[in-house]
Amino acid sequence: MATTSGAAAPPPAATLPVRRGTGPAAATSYCPVSSARPWRRARLSSANAARARLLRVRASSMADSVEEERLPAASATDGPLELEPQSQVRTGMWNWKGYNIRYQYAGTSGPALVLIHGFGANSDHWRKNIPVLAMNNRVYAIDLIGYGYSDKPNPRELGESFYTFETWGEQLNTFCSEVVKSKAFFICNSIGGLVGLQAAVMEPQKCKGMFLLNISLRMLHISKQPWFGKPFIKSFQSLLRNTVIGKLFFNAVATPESVKNILCQCYHDTSAVTDELVQFILQPGLDPGAVDVFLEFICYSGGPLPEELLPRVKVRLPVVLWVIIHFILFENLFSLCQLYMNLFLILQCPVLVAWGEKDPWEPLELGRAYASFDTVEDFVVLPNVGHCPQDEAPDLVNPLVQS
């Protein structure tokens, strides 16, 4: 694909469609967990007001009982409802450390958003989000190295520590510097959440805020295994990496039928698992080198955990030095406190966590623990949604991102 530059002038904002019908696919609400501390609520008020205008939750004994905000009734003389045009999505190729990295982009004004996919996916997994979000934002969706249509260097030639969250975090930060050319909000799904967190920890000045969708809990991490199971895990990983068994396993997974079955497991609304989606996921996974990346990652049981990274997502400032400098400059306690509080608010990296309540891989009950972290501004439950909310329920996710 040839690198493209520039983008079409941003069209006027489109009206978000309202889901109709009944059943899981028709849900149009979210259930916020009342986890925000009192001191946070002032900062959340504008976002909550935006959400309240878009989505109304009716008090009921049913957690997912909702009342839709209706479109105005059309008269018999009205013509068909017309949606305003969406931003054109373009594809570019970016060279990072000698490797070709694919990304998609749209929009020419507004805050920058960088969308980060999960394991085995690519930027096409955001196809239902990019055009809508680009109405008011500059949107970029990247294929992490080893995935999608980005290059897939052989890990055996690079060393076992190449496909790690540190590598992808570095890639994301450099992408913000060289392509986005500004600070950005990171919108992440599954393991993409670890990538976003790692990038923000490594270079906090690059991230304005973060939206984590069903972040990977990394339940297979070596630290979460019983002591008697750790030797068996390492033996199994060696078997996959160094024998034909690993490639046989990959060949069994890399078929349309297997990919569809896997997606139907993690999507609550299986009607969203279309043949088009299966091809978007499968096709780049058949590229040369994909099998080695696949085996390398499923054998990656080290590295950071979300609960280790979340407390570190903020600008690390030498507080005492700041106070001394401000006191010397202003010599006024009131001005000093006021300026320091402003700096504190500006330099934080707020995190919003959203979770599909029907995720079979990353259980909601475990995900709720992240609501207690100081860096997490809010925790939102998405009713009747699985592991990939951005694709299964974009009409819930897109308004939350905009807010």
Side-chain angles (χ1 to χ4, degrees):
M1 302 178 187
T3 304
T4 57
S5 60
T15 301
L16 290 174
V18 175
R19 263 191 187 177
R20 305 195 181 279
T22 59
T28 59
S29 75
Y30 66 91
C31 302
V33 173
S34 299
S35 62
R37 296 170 176 78
W39 63 268
R40 292 184 189 164
R41 286 174 183 160
R43 298 179 65 186
L44 291 171
S45 59
S46 61
N48 288 338
R51 297 174 197 165
R53 288 195 298 271
L54 290 163
L55 308 167
R56 296 177 179 175
V57 180
R58 182 177 59 201
S60 170
S61 59
M62 297 288 291
D64 58 352
S65 179
V66 302
E67 179 178 7
E68 291 186 356
E69 184 167 303
R70 305 290 182 179
L71 291 173
S75 67
T77 57
D78 288 340
L81 181 65
E82 294 184 1
L83 293 177
E84 295 178 4
Q86 296 182 341
S87 296
Q88 180 182 358
V89 180
R90 303 189 178 191
T91 298
M93 296 298 289
W94 166 60
N95 187 280
W96 179 63
K97 294 187 174 183
Y99 301 112
N100 291 320
I101 304 298
R102 181 186 72 147
Y103 66 96
Q104 301 184 57
Y105 63 102
T108 58
S109 62
L113 311 179
V114 180
L115 316 182
I116 309 156
H117 62 80
F119 173 61
N122 56 76
S123 57
D124 289 327
H125 215 186
W126 300 97
R127 69 198 184 284
K128 299 177 184 177
N129 316 102
I130 301 173
V132 177
L133 298 177
M135 297 297 172
N136 302 298
N137 304 278
R138 295 179 293 122
V139 183
Y140 302 82
I142 188 172
D143 287 4
L144 297 174
I145 189 166
Y147 293 103
Y149 293 96
S150 291
D151 283 350
K152 303 170 179 64
N154 191 327
R156 296 178 181 274
E157 299 174 359
L158 299 169
E160 293 184 357
S161 60
F162 182 75
Y163 289 108
T164 65
F165 293 113
E166 288 81 5
T167 296
W168 290 315
E170 180 186 356
Q171 178 191 355
L172 180 57
N173 284 328
T174 309
F175 181 77
C176 289
S177 296
E178 298 184 0
V179 178
V180 181
K181 296 183 178 179
S182 72
K183 297 175 67 174
F185 291 94
F186 297 162
I187 318 298
C188 320
N189 175 229
S190 191
I191 69 159
L194 274 297
V195 176
L197 288 172
Q198 182 66 55
V201 167
M202 293 168 69
E203 296 189 50
Q205 70 276 12
K206 299 286 177 64
C207 182
K208 295 181 69 174
M210 198 173 308
F211 187 14
L212 304 177
L213 289 159
N214 292 64
I215 187 173
S216 173
L217 299 171
R218 304 206 66 199
M219 298 304 294
L220 297 179
H221 194 278
I222 194 68
S223 67
K224 296 186 176 183
Q225 308 310 310
W227 64 268
F228 55 83
K230 293 179 181 179
F232 296 101
I233 291 173
K234 292 182 179 179
S235 297
F236 179 68
Q237 291 173 342
S238 177
L239 189 69
L240 288 177
R241 273 198 186 107
N242 302 317
T243 71
V244 71
I245 292 177
K247 292 189 177 180
L248 291 175
F249 175 60
F250 177 81
N251 291 337
V253 172
T255 67
E257 295 77 15
S258 294
V259 171
K260 186 167 187 176
N261 288 336
I262 293 170
L263 291 171
C264 284
Q265 290 176 21
C266 68
Y267 279 56
H268 181 66
D269 177 10
T270 56
S271 67
V273 182
T274 62
D275 291 339
E276 177 188 51
L277 173 63
V278 170
Q279 284 304 308
F280 279 143
I281 300 296
L282 176 62
Q283 194 60 46
L286 300 177
D287 287 350
V291 58
D292 296 307
V293 178
F294 173 83
L295 295 175
E296 187 70 16
F297 186 78
I298 64 173
C299 293
Y300 177 39
S301 57
L305 293 166
E307 52 267 34
E308 296 171 344
L309 294 175
L310 270 170
R312 301 168 60 196
V313 180
K314 55 187 175 181
V315 177
R316 296 180 295 275
L317 294 174
V319 178
V320 176
L321 181 60
W322 272 108
V323 172
I324 293 173
I325 292 175
H326 294 163
F327 184 76
I328 293 173
L329 291 176
F330 295 94
E331 296 183 356
N332 182 291
L333 184 60
F334 176 77
S335 298
L336 171 62
C337 293
Q338 188 177 39
L339 179 60
Y340 186 74
M341 286 303 299
N342 289 336
L343 284 170
F344 177 79
L345 293 175
I346 292 170
L347 295 173
Q348 292 299 300
C349 177
V351 178
L352 171 66
V353 179
W355 216 280
E357 70 167 345
K358 301 295 186 181
D359 187 342
W361 294 349
E362 314 291 352
L364 172 63
E365 292 71 23
L366 298 178
R368 286 184 191 274
Y370 296 128
S372 63
F373 282 82
D374 288 337
T375 48
V376 176
E377 296 269 339
D378 204 0
F379 186 99
V380 177
V381 178
L382 304 175
N384 297 316
V385 179
H387 184 65
C388 306
Q390 79 278 11
D391 187 62
E392 184 179 346
D395 52 342
L396 298 184
V397 171
N398 291 335
L400 284 174
V401 175
Q402 294 283 25
S403 73

